[in-house]
C-alpha cells in the first residue's frame, strides 16, 4: 500500500506557517494534517476555518482534517468549503456516526473514523465498509509532543487483520508520538498514513520530512 506522511501543523511555528508547510511538500510529504480542537471533546483549542482557508492553495498537498470536536456534523460543511479533502471524526464524538460519514461523502470529501487509545478497534466493525480511512490515536488526543502508547501497536495489527479478512485495502492512519525511531513499528503493524507533528516541525522541517520519506519508501 502507498505510504503517506501527514505532518501535523499543530507543532509548526505559526509566524512562518506557510514557509514551513512548503518545506514539508519539498521534502515529499503528501498530506497536511490539520488538527481541529473545540475545547470540549479535548481540553484545548487549536485553529479553525480561517487558517484552513489561508493554507488551502499554498501547496498541492491533500488536507487531512482531524476533527477533535463534539458532534462534528455541525462543522463538516464549513471545513469542506474551506478546503478539507479528508474529514476524520471521532467515534466517541458522534451520536449517529453512519449519518455523519454519509454527510462527509455527500460533501465530496473522504471520511475517516478515529478511536481514542481507550476505545477498542472492534467498535469500527460496522463502519469498515463505509469509511475510507481509520485513525488509531497513539496518544490521548489534545496535545502534540506526547509519548507513544505501546498498546497502539496491537490495535493497528488487529484493525489491519479485520480489513484483510474482508479483502479491504483501506488506509490506517496513526497519530501521536511518532518519531523516526519508532515509525517502523507502526508500519510493520499495518499503518500506512503516518501523522508526525513535533518529529517534523521541531528542528529542520525539510530534513525531518526527508528522513521520514526515506523510511517510508523502504516500505512501498
Ligand atoms: C494530538 C493531535 C496530533 C498531534 C501529534 O491530539 O491529533 O496530530 O499534532 O503530535 P506529535 O506527533 O508531536 O505527537
Ligand atoms: Zn491529529
Amino acid at each position: 500500500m502507498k505510504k503517506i506522511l501527514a505532518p501535523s501543523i499543530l507543532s509548526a511555528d505559526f509566524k512562518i506557517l506557510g514557509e514551513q508547510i512548503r518545506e514539508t511538500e519539498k521534502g515529499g510529504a503528501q498530506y497536511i494534517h490539520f488538527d481541529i480542537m473545540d475545547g470540549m471533546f479535548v481540553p484545548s483549542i487549536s485553529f479553525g476555518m480561517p487558517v484552513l482557508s489561508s493554507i488551502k492553495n499554498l501547496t498541492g498537498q491533500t488536507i487531512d482534517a482531524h476533527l477533535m470536536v463534539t458532534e462534528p456534523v455541525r462543522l463538516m460543511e464549513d471545513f469542506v468549503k474551506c478546503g478539507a479533502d479528508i474529514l476524520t471524526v471521532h467515534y466517541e464524538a458522534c451520536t449517529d456516526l453512519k449519518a455523519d460519514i454519509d454527510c462527509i461523502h455527500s460533501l465530496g470529501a473522504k471520511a475517516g473514523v478515529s478511536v481514542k487509545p481507550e476505545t477498542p478497534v472492534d467498535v469500527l466493525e460496522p463502519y469498515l465498509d463505509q469509511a475510507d480511512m481509520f485513525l488509531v490515536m497513539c496518544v490521548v488526543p489534545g496535545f502534540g509532543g506526547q509519548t507513544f502508547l505501546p498498546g497502539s501497536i496491537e490495535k493497528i495489527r488487529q484493525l489491519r487483520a479485520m480489513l484483510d479478512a474482508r479483502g479491504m485495502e483501506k488506509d490506517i492512519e496513526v497519530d501521536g508520538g511518532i518519531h523516526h525511531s519508532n515509525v517502523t513499528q507502526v508500519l510493520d503493524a499495518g499503518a500506512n498514513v503516518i501523522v508526525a507533528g513535533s518529529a517534523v516541525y521541531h528542528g529542520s522541517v525539510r530534513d525531518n520530512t526527508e528522513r521520514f520519506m526515506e523510511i517510508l519508501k523502504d516500505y512501498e
Side-chain angles (χ1 to χ4, degrees), residues 1 3 11 20 39 48-50 56 60 62 64 75 80 117 136 138 143 145 148 157 166-167 169 182 202 204:
M1 280 189 88
K3 304 296 183 289
S11 292
Q20 289 199 326
M49 291 92 173
K56 173 56 188 166
T62 296
D64 170 35
L75 305 163
V80 172
V136 176
C138 305
F143 300 96
F148 181 84
R157 260 197 217 115
R166 288 159 182 82
E169 210 182 64
N182 64 1
H202 292 175
S204 165

Side-chain angles (χ1 to χ4, degrees), residues 6 8-11 33-35 37 42 66 68 90 135 137 139-147 175-179 195-200 202:
S8 164
I9 63 164
L10 195 61
S11 292
H33 186 77
F34 192 89
D35 285 303
M37 303 181 184
V42 292
H66 177 193
M68 286 166 276
H90 268 266
L135 167 55
M137 284 305 298
V139 298
V140 175
F143 300 96
Q146 302 181 73
T147 304
D175 183 3
I178 315 270
H179 293 265
V195 177
S198 44
V200 166
H202 292 175

Side-chain angles (χ1 to χ4, degrees), residues 20-125:
Q20 289 199 326
I21 291 176
R22 283 201 190 95
E23 290 298 299
T24 71
E25 185 179 48
K26 285 183 203 149
Q30 303 95 327
Y31 285 6
I32 296 171
H33 186 77
F34 192 89
D35 285 303
I36 301 154
M37 303 181 184
D38 67 350
M40 284 174 68
F41 183 71
V42 292
S44 190
I45 292 176
S46 54
F47 34 69
M49 291 92 173
V51 178
L52 184 53
S53 299
S54 67
I55 64 166
K56 173 56 188 166
N57 291 316
L58 187 68
T59 67
Q61 292 162 301
T62 296
I63 298 196
D64 170 35
H66 177 193
L67 279 80
M68 286 166 276
V69 306
T70 300
E71 294 299 351
V73 68
R74 298 173 292 127
L75 305 163
M76 285 169 179
E77 190 175 350
D78 285 340
F79 278 112
V80 172
K81 277 189 183 151
C82 290
D85 300 296
I86 305 170
L87 287 186
T88 295
V89 298
H90 268 266
Y91 167 82
E92 303 87 355
C94 301
T95 304
D96 189 346
L97 183 51
K98 288 209 170 196
D100 294 354
I101 297 170
D102 278 343
C103 176
I104 296 170
H105 285 149
S106 72
L107 293 165
K110 286 195 170 177
V113 179
S114 180
V115 285
K116 287 181 177 184
E118 71 269 24
T119 306
V121 290
D122 325 351
V123 303
L124 297 173
E125 207 276 322

Side-chain angles (χ1 to χ4, degrees), residues 177-220:
I178 315 270
H179 293 265
H180 299 93
S181 55
N182 64 1
V183 65
T184 57
Q185 290 178 42
V186 292
L187 290 164
D188 284 335
N192 69 302
V193 182
I194 308 298
V195 177
S198 44
V200 166
Y201 279 102
H202 292 175
S204 165
V205 176
R206 178 75 175 266
D207 289 355
N208 290 338
T209 306
E210 284 176 353
R211 281 176 58 212
F212 267 118
M213 294 315 295
E214 270 163 35
I215 301 170
L216 264 52
K217 251 179 239 135
D218 290 341
Y219 275 77
E220 291 284 324

